[in-house]
Every structure is written in structure tokens, then in C-alpha cells.
Amino acid sequence: ALAVNWRTYEPLSGQGTREEEFWVATTYRKERGNHKWWLNVDLFPEDSQSFYGGVEFLFGERILTDLTLQAGKTWGDPVPGHNTYRIGGNVTEGYFTQRPTRLFPLRGFDSNLLEAGTAATGSLEVFWPLANLQKGHKTFPLFLHRLRLGTFVDAGFAGGRPSEADLLCGAGFVLVTSMEIAWGYLSAFRFGVAWPIKQPGFVDQKGPVCLIQLGRPL
């Protein structure tokens, strides 16, 4: 897909000049079974280019393993909030909220924790079967399918070169209930907690962080 974008913005305080931004973006997405990958290139007229994307692999039948990797890099002058990348926050998207493409998830930390011209995150999550519910209540438009326990580890960095000193890691667990809403809309409800288990000295993130979301099924 090819897109031409334009936007205008001004300072929230009311002071400063109003600015405009123009860029061209091309996106490639591919899915094969339970595996998917995506790639995005942004070309700005101010001699700046951005390249970012990711891959997601889902394996297994009863015990599911999900591996997701995302990374991005900007050449030229980084402009915070426009051609930079951020790490932190939840890993999945809900029905009513969409994670920005330049926000790479890192559970156990606040959203938009760090921002830089280079960033990358990786997540490994294993879903363990707990119960086969297959249960509804009369004509109530909600039918529960399966209950799983997800255990995960997320890691990532933002800025500079990747090194052990700058690495951030979070871990935790979620309960995931697959469900069918209004007799046809497959969904998943997630509830869990995550903790920061490794962070550089300039980050002082406290845990735990609560995770609640209604979104797409596994």
C-alpha cells in the first residue's frame, strides 16, 4: 500500500508557531497461517527516512507459543512524536484502541516510557490450557470458549546501540478467555499483571502493572 500524508500541529500552550508535515509511506503486510510480518517505510522531505516493521509467529495446538519481534530506525534528524519510536505499555490491541505503529510494546513498564530514533522489542509468550468452558447463559449474547494462562517475557531498548546495560525486561502472566460476543464476533478477554525485572539506572519503574484488554482472539 502507498499513502501520501499531511498534518498540521501547534504547541498545546498556545505559544510558538504552527507547523506542517508531509511524508510518503509504503506498507507491506503478509499473513501465512498463524504467522505474519509487516514492513513500513516513511519518506520525509526534510531528508529523513524511517524503516520499521515486525514479525509474529504462533506455534502449537493445545499449548500455544507466540514470538513477536519489532524494530525501527530513523535516519536524519529525529523529531520527537513524529519520526521517532517509543517503547513500553501493553502488547495487544483492543476493539476501541489501536496501538500506534511507532509504539513497540514492553509489558511491565509505562506506555511511551522511552523515545528515540532507534528502538526494538521482542516478546515470548506461552499459553497453557486451563479449562474448556464452552458455556453461555440462556439468551445472553456472550459465549465463553476456552480459558488459558499466558506466561511471558518482554525485552527491548530505545536509543543508541543495543547493549546489556540499556536493556529493559518485563515478565508476568495473563488469564485469557476466548469468547463469542453477539453470536458471531470472536474475541479474547485478557487480565493479568507484569513486573519490570531489568532496567537501566536512569529508569525507575515500579511494579506491578495491571493488564486488562478486550481484543482479537489468539
Side-chain angles (χ1 to χ4, degrees), residues 151-175:
T151 54
F152 61 84
V153 175
D154 296 344
F157 74 95
R161 296 183 177 181
S163 64
E164 184 179 356
D166 295 328
L167 188 67
L168 296 94
C169 294
F173 64 89
V174 291
L175 287 174

Side-chain angles (χ1 to χ4, degrees), residues 7-8 17 99 111 119-120 153 173 185:
R7 64 184 171 190
T8 179
T17 60
R99 177 171 47 83
S111 184
V153 175
F173 64 89
Y185 297 96

Side-chain angles (χ1 to χ4, degrees), residues 126-140:
V126 180
F127 297 95
W128 310 88
L130 293 182
N132 189 21
L133 302 176
Q134 303 299 330
K135 188 175 183 180
H137 179 69
K138 297 183 179 180
T139 59
F140 192 73

Side-chain angles (χ1 to χ4, degrees), residues 51-73:
F51 178 92
Y52 57 96
V55 294
E56 181 180 4
F57 302 104
L58 184 64
F59 305 96
E61 295 182 3
R62 294 191 68 254
I63 299 177
L64 301 177
T65 301
D66 185 281
L67 174 63
T68 303
L69 304 173
Q70 298 184 82
K73 182 174 177 59

